[in-house]
Amino acid sequence: GVVVGIVVGVLQAITQIHDQTVMFVTRLVAAVIVIGICLPWFVEHYSGFSRDLIQQIPETIFQGTPR
């Protein structure tokens, strides 16, 4: 966020374009790039977490009960 703000501020000072849409579009593009980079890790991490959690359901249900 801070780096994007500084870069946009410098570009606005150089080009003398002080429109709010420039800041909005730049931050939107930066957010999309960060999501695109982090999404594969996020999906892998949380799918593994969900798989482990679902596999532990029977152990949790039958814990302490005779079979």
Side-chain angles (χ1 to χ4, degrees):
V2 174
V3 174
V4 173
I6 291 172
V7 169
V8 169
V10 169
L11 289 175
Q12 286 179 338
I14 292 172
T15 60
Q16 295 183 352
I17 299 174
H18 297 287
D19 191 13
Q20 292 296 324
T21 57
V22 173
M23 183 66 89
F24 175 75
V25 170
T26 308
R27 287 187 180 189
L28 183 65
V29 168
V32 168
I33 290 171
V34 169
I35 289 171
I37 291 171
C38 294
L39 191 62
W41 172 85
F42 183 79
V43 169
E44 180 182 340
H45 182 73
Y46 281 101
S47 64
F49 173 75
S50 298
R51 182 183 57 249
D52 294 342
L53 190 64
I54 290 169
Q55 288 175 349
Q56 291 177 4
I57 290 174
E59 296 172 12
T60 305
I61 292 173
F62 296 115
Q63 184 179 17
T65 59
R67 290 187 180 181

